[in-house]
Amino acid sequence: MRRYRVSLGWIKSLASISLGLLIWEASGLSAKAASPPTIDRTVECELLVVGGGLSGVAASYEALLAGRTVCMTEITDWVGGQISAQGTSALDERTTQRSRLFYPRGYLELRQRIEKFYGKLNPGECWVSESCFLPKDANKIMWEQLKDAEAKGKGTLKWFPATVVKDLEIEAVKGKGTGKQITSAVAIQHSPKNKYLGLNTLPLSRTIEDAYTYEDSSLFNKETIRFVPASSSAKAADWYVIEATETGEIVALADVPYRLGIDPSSSFEPSSSSSKGDPYCTQGFTYTFAMEATKDPEEHKKPPFYGEHQNYYSYELERLADFDLVFTYRRIWSPETGKPEKFGGIEFSAPTPGDISMQNWTWGNDYRPGTAKDNLVYTRQQLKTLGQLTPGGWLGGLRAATLNKGEDHALGYFYWLVEGTTDSQLGDGVKKPYPNNQLLTGMDSPMGTEHGLSKYPYIREGRRIVGRVYPGYSQGFTVTEIDISRADYKDEYYKQKLDSQTYRQLWTKIDGVEAVSNKNLNIEKMKQRARASIYPDSVGIGHYAIDFHPCMNQSPPEKAGNTEREGERKGGGQAYPFQIPLRAMIPQRIDNLIVTGKSIATSHIAAAAYRVHSFEWSSGAAAGITADFGLDEEIMPYQLVDKDFVKDKKLQVLKKKLDQSGNPTAFPDTSIFNQDWSDWQ
């Protein structure tokens, strides 16, 4: 059985962490313009991949197989993002896609490597997925996959852990494209100053702003690195920068147009909960943690902040109100199979001592701010006010105080699981203590941190670019709700919610007829499209439900009696298998920036499906292959989808390259004539 050090002293010192909140809140009020840094070294790359999550790893993997020189930066010291540093090591997959194993080649290889590492695909015997495993192992597995790709393709991987991009040099390059290009990037790599206070000792809220500061600090020594192109092109990009961060950092730092939070209700986004939009209400973020079932009861000291948070926690639904069910939901290690149990119609094996569960629960460790006082991801206006868009002013674009509250909230949830007796949604008499569990902390624990929380929170939604203007997209290309949703738009809800013109425009888009100009058209007789939108420039695929973890109405989110934003879950539900258009990965203004992951051009509702593991991999793989193709052909991505791109021969060559390499651009039988996707679950 695997053993981990459990640091009760860390729990006892949580009060000091909370006290640090005042310091970081004050430092977040403004950012002083930094003096021009002294560059410690210059590094050449063909691709600069910013972010070592799944999309960044996928982009690097494909570029390395193509023989490219890849520089990859990552704020933490692990690769893998969701499945490692963020702790959500339970693969979110849809039934049909999984049964057909219709995924990008690198994602399939990842699944195979997990199975080979453990001897089985699901070492945790969880019931949320067919594959739940330890985050620290995911880092090791991903790293080996990258190094093998490097050797196989004869590429070069230059890995920069604990590194953040601080500044970008952006300029127009004569004779190369219509916009500007990123010509260099300045980054900061930090290393511990004190061997007894290493990386991952303190939680992110205590170190994030320090990590983005050039000067050495009491915690870190800093090295300033300038990334530059490894070669030059006569007519296209010298290199490509791939945005693969979790919150769209490069999108904000480059100041290209983007959206944040809820989009206004429209014929494209008919289920939106807001008529005007709300940039502060993004999906909740989560600090995950690992807990181990023990034979004997453990001593659990109540955190000093527990009283502030206990009125939030809940099993949420009666059919889920069972501790064993919640524990095994994302159980990531199970050395011994327990006796069969069933609750709420769900069958699972009971926890046994030594079992390890990763917690990621909506009414548990989800932290769901939604106001201008506490939103996590700063808006452009907030960044401008704080000085983070001035040269040298960038500090990561996140509110450190909200990160701190999210950390407290997660640790409070652990205490609620083991000692709590309240339930905010189901009332008294539901929750009982379960003291036979311990929080796993320490550098050798599943999360690899002294405090036991994930190195970085699981981010469900960040900044989403607005694509370029194309016919039919006068406000910029975006994948929206109606492009993927299986919602019944003849439901009375939409007739009452939308004005008559918007309702008719909705049906124009989902039926393809000119309903707006024909006032006598009978919408009741019209047929709703029974598939996702098909894109001639598709470079990847994904499938997942439109899944919401809505923001809360009041600040702070944990306030007693607080409720979810009304109407946010209306947009949730089943989605059709969907595609990733190249146009969604191309930002405005900058020609050599390719956007992946959760920052591609999607609406708030569409983004709730375009965020899980296999999608992130597919978008990253597409970015890596597109960058390689652009360098080979001396053509920039926007030129592949410029003007009459449906007939563009080079676009077709790129798509063929993707498909033939094992990175599908469409699901089987995708066609405008195939209106029956009911068997895809």
Side-chain angles (χ1 to χ4, degrees):
M1 179 172 59
R2 297 170 184 237
R3 293 289 183 185
Y4 305 99
R5 180 165 56 85
V6 182
S7 175
L8 292 176
W10 174 259
I11 302 298
K12 294 176 182 178
S13 67
L14 286 171
S16 64
I17 296 175
S18 294
L19 289 174
L21 170 64
L22 297 175
I23 300 171
W24 289 109
E25 177 72 358
S27 65
L29 292 176
S30 62
K32 297 179 180 178
S35 302
T38 299
I39 303 300
D40 296 309
R41 61 174 162 144
T42 298
V43 179
E44 296 183 342
C45 336
E46 291 178 291
L47 276 72
L48 171 59
V49 179
V50 186
L54 283 175
S55 63
V57 168
S60 301
Y61 170 86
E62 291 294 345
L64 290 168
L65 286 174
R68 296 294 178 183
T69 298
V70 179
C71 300
M72 182 166 64
T73 68
E74 164 60 21
I75 188 172
T76 73
D77 56 349
W78 280 1
V79 293
Q82 283 195 50
I83 64 171
S84 58
Q86 296 173 46
T88 52
S89 51
L91 299 180
D92 286 322
E93 299 171 341
R94 299 304 292 171
T95 305
T96 306
Q97 188 179 13
R98 181 173 58 216
S99 68
R100 300 191 185 190
L101 291 178
F102 200 76
Y103 297 109
R105 63 175 175 181
Y107 184 82
L108 286 172
E109 183 181 333
L110 168 62
R111 294 174 101 257
Q112 292 164 358
R113 285 175 177 266
I114 292 169
E115 188 167 13
K116 182 179 179 180
F117 186 88
Y118 292 106
K120 54 184 176 180
L121 188 59
N122 190 5
E125 296 185 5
C126 65
W127 56 267
V128 70
S129 170
E130 287 197 358
S131 185
C132 293
F133 43 90
L134 297 168
K136 73 169 189 174
D137 291 341
N139 167 62
K140 181 179 180 180
I141 291 167
M142 283 267 71
W143 181 249
E144 290 177 351
Q145 185 170 341
L146 280 172
K147 295 303 289 183
D148 286 350
E150 178 185 40
K152 183 178 180 180
K154 295 182 172 55
T156 301
L157 176 61
K158 300 178 181 180
W159 163 235
F160 297 88
T163 302
V164 298
V165 171
K166 173 73 170 180
D167 277 305
L168 300 173
E169 185 177 359
I170 301 171
E171 58 186 356
V173 182
K174 188 176 181 180
K176 296 183 180 182
T178 58
K180 295 182 177 181
Q181 293 191 30
I182 298 173
T183 55
S184 72
V186 177
I188 303 169
Q189 186 170 46
H190 57 279
S191 57
K193 182 167 285 188
N194 186 328
K195 66 178 181 179
Y196 299 108
L197 195 63
L199 295 176
N200 308 307
T201 300
L202 297 174
L204 183 65
S205 68
R206 296 289 301 276
T207 62
I208 186 169
E209 293 183 356
D210 191 348
Y212 284 87
T213 304
Y214 285 123
E215 295 77 19
D216 288 351
S217 68
S218 60
L219 292 176
F220 301 123
N221 293 316
K222 313 284 181 64
E223 182 182 25
T224 303
I225 305 164
R226 184 188 298 279
F227 294 104
V228 298
S231 59
S232 61
S233 167
K235 58 182 181 180
D238 296 335
W239 69 338
Y240 282 96
V241 177
I242 295 180
E243 159 65 276
T245 66
E246 300 301 322
T247 60
E249 288 188 44
I250 302 304
V251 168
L253 191 54
D255 204 19
V256 298
Y258 62 87
R259 297 185 180 95
L260 190 59
I262 302 172
D263 298 301
S265 178
S266 69
S267 57
F268 290 100
E269 197 88 343
S271 301
S272 172
S273 63
S274 173
S275 61
K276 297 181 180 179
D278 186 343
Y280 308 114
C281 180
T282 58
Q283 292 223 41
F285 68 94
T286 309
Y287 274 102
T288 59
F289 58 83
M291 57 190 291
E292 182 182 33
T294 60
K295 182 179 180 180
D296 300 315
E298 300 287 325
E299 177 185 353
H300 300 288
K301 184 176 178 63
K302 183 187 294 186
F305 47 75
Y306 182 70
E308 301 171 25
H309 296 263
Q310 66 175 335
N311 292 317
Y312 172 92
Y313 306 126
S314 173
Y315 283 131
E316 185 175 0
L317 301 171
E318 288 185 6
R319 63 180 176 84
L320 302 176
D322 179 79
F323 179 87
D324 286 357
L325 180 139
V326 173
F327 184 96
T328 58
Y329 183 50
R330 286 187 170 89
R331 180 171 49 191
I332 55 178
W333 178 249
S334 182
E336 180 181 344
T337 301
K339 64 181 181 179
E341 285 193 12
K342 185 175 182 179
F343 188 90
I346 299 171
E347 296 179 353
F348 54 93
S349 62
T352 59
D355 281 8
I356 298 174
S357 173
M358 176 267 292
Q359 286 298 313
N360 175 16
W361 195 256
T362 306
W363 284 91
N365 46 340
D366 273 15
Y367 198 65
R368 302 191 277 165
T371 73
K373 296 178 181 178
D374 57 10
N375 62 311
L376 174 66
V377 183
Y378 283 133
T379 66
R380 184 183 185 280
Q381 185 55 55
Q382 287 174 320
L383 290 172
K384 189 175 180 180
T385 301
L386 292 168
Q388 290 205 36
L389 297 183
T390 60
W394 182 247
L395 292 175
L398 301 181
R399 191 189 300 265
T402 295
L403 286 172
N404 180 269
K405 292 297 290 286
E407 292 154 359
D408 288 353
H409 192 68
L411 291 167
Y413 174 55
F414 169 74
Y415 184 81
W416 180 83
L417 284 170
V418 296
E419 297 290 349
T421 56
T422 60
D423 190 299
S424 67
Q425 306 302 299
L426 301 179
D428 296 335
V430 175
K431 179 65 175 64
K432 299 177 181 178
Y434 292 88
N436 290 44
N437 290 275
Q438 60 182 353
L439 177 68
L440 296 180
T441 65
M443 298 303 188
D444 59 345
S445 69
M447 297 297 170
T449 61
E450 190 67 33
H451 44 82
L453 299 178
S454 54
K455 294 169 186 268
Y456 197 89
Y458 171 41
I459 302 292
R460 294 182 177 85
E461 181 182 3
R463 302 175 184 90
R464 313 179 310 271
I465 64 166
V466 179
R468 301 191 179 196
V469 173
Y470 297 97
Y473 299 93
S474 60
Q475 302 302 309
F477 184 86
T478 305
V479 177
T480 65
E481 172 192 347
I482 63 170
D483 288 314
I484 64 170
S485 179
R486 298 194 193 205
D488 178 9
Y489 293 115
K490 286 185 179 178
D491 187 280
E492 193 65 27
Y493 170 82
Y494 296 100
K495 298 176 185 177
Q496 298 297 323
K497 178 178 186 287
L498 306 175
D499 61 62
S500 59
Q501 182 180 5
T502 303
Y503 189 62
R504 297 180 78 83
Q505 288 174 336
L506 164 64
W507 278 93
T508 300
K509 295 175 175 64
I510 60 177
D511 186 83
V513 298
E514 294 300 322
V516 176
S517 60
N518 188 345
K519 295 181 180 180
N520 298 318
L521 195 63
N522 188 346
I523 293 179
E524 293 303 319
K525 294 183 178 180
M526 296 171 67
K527 292 183 179 180
Q528 183 171 330
R529 184 182 65 229
R531 57 167 171 77
S533 293
I534 298 174
Y535 300 102
D537 60 328
S538 175
V539 290
I541 58 170
H543 190 205
Y544 200 67
I546 302 172
D547 180 30
F548 276 103
H549 294 237
C551 75
M552 304 297 282
N553 277 310
Q554 300 179 64
S555 177
E558 67 274 16
K559 184 178 181 180
N562 206 351
T563 56
E564 295 180 348
R565 183 67 58 88
E566 184 179 359
E568 266 292 88
R569 289 187 184 269
K570 183 63 181 178
Q574 296 303 309
Y576 294 110
F578 49 78
Q579 296 179 316
I580 305 169
L582 181 58
R583 284 169 292 172
M585 300 170 66
I586 302 172
Q588 296 181 29
R589 301 177 186 166
I590 298 181
D591 292 340
N592 68 336
L593 175 61
I594 303 175
V595 178
T596 67
K598 293 179 282 285
S599 291
I600 70 169
T602 57
S603 69
H604 174 66
I605 291 177
Y610 280 75
R611 66 175 175 83
V612 296
H613 305 83
S614 65
F615 151 74
E616 281 208 9
W617 190 282
S618 188
S619 69
I625 292 175
T626 299
D628 171 60
F629 183 81
L631 292 170
D632 269 349
E633 299 291 329
E634 289 198 295
I635 188 170
M636 287 182 277
Y638 85 89
Q639 294 172 318
L640 295 170
V641 288
D642 204 15
K643 298 180 181 179
D644 191 13
F645 66 87
V646 176
K647 300 178 182 178
D648 190 285
K649 292 182 179 179
K650 287 197 173 182
L651 174 61
Q652 300 311 314
V653 173
L654 171 62
K655 287 172 63 68
K656 186 177 181 179
K657 182 174 183 177
L658 283 157
D659 287 320
Q660 290 184 343
S661 68
N663 291 284
T665 61
F667 283 94
D669 303 319
T670 295
S671 164
I672 60 173
F673 302 108
N674 182 7
Q675 293 286 335
D676 185 11
W677 290 84
S678 58
D679 60 333
W680 279 82
Q681 301 299 317

